[in-house]
Amino acid sequence: MASSRSTRASAAVERLKKRTGNTGYSMARTGDGLFFLSEAPGAPALNAPLELDDFVAFVNGLGPQEVKRISKNDVEFEKQLVRKKPGS
């Protein structure tokens, strides 16, 4: 279970690196299994040690956010769904 926890946290850090272009971000775990992030290995932590879900949410909130692409077809489909709701 511990390895899947680390994998989920490290995947969040990898996404952050990709979004920001900063490949120096580094994740570490405390002895009691909490996670923290720094801008480089050995640099000061950017957060207090956090539980996995809180850490992933923290990391996901950093840096520029990826914008979900929506096609014209998606927009038209959404319009049709709104028009066809029951009771309309």
Side-chain angles (χ1 to χ4, degrees):
M1 174 106 166
S3 64
S4 65
R5 290 171 49 85
S6 293
T7 301
R8 187 165 159 229
S10 61
V13 174
E14 288 304 313
R15 289 190 303 272
L16 175 63
K17 289 178 182 182
K18 183 178 176 185
R19 285 195 316 269
T20 63
N22 178 355
T23 59
Y25 281 111
S26 178
M27 172 194 80
R29 282 183 73 184
T30 64
D32 54 354
L34 301 177
F35 297 86
F36 63 90
L37 180 73
S38 60
E39 289 188 286
L46 297 174
N47 62 289
L50 298 168
E51 293 284 341
L52 176 65
D53 290 340
D54 294 332
F55 177 78
V56 171
F58 170 75
V59 173
N60 286 343
L62 293 176
Q65 301 300 303
E66 290 184 22
V67 178
K68 183 179 176 186
R69 291 188 162 181
I70 301 174
S71 72
K72 288 181 183 178
N73 290 337
D74 292 333
V75 172
E76 289 303 315
F77 181 69
E78 288 293 326
K79 286 180 184 176
Q80 287 180 8
L81 287 177
V82 171
R83 278 188 237 136
K84 293 184 179 185
K85 283 195 175 187
S88 298

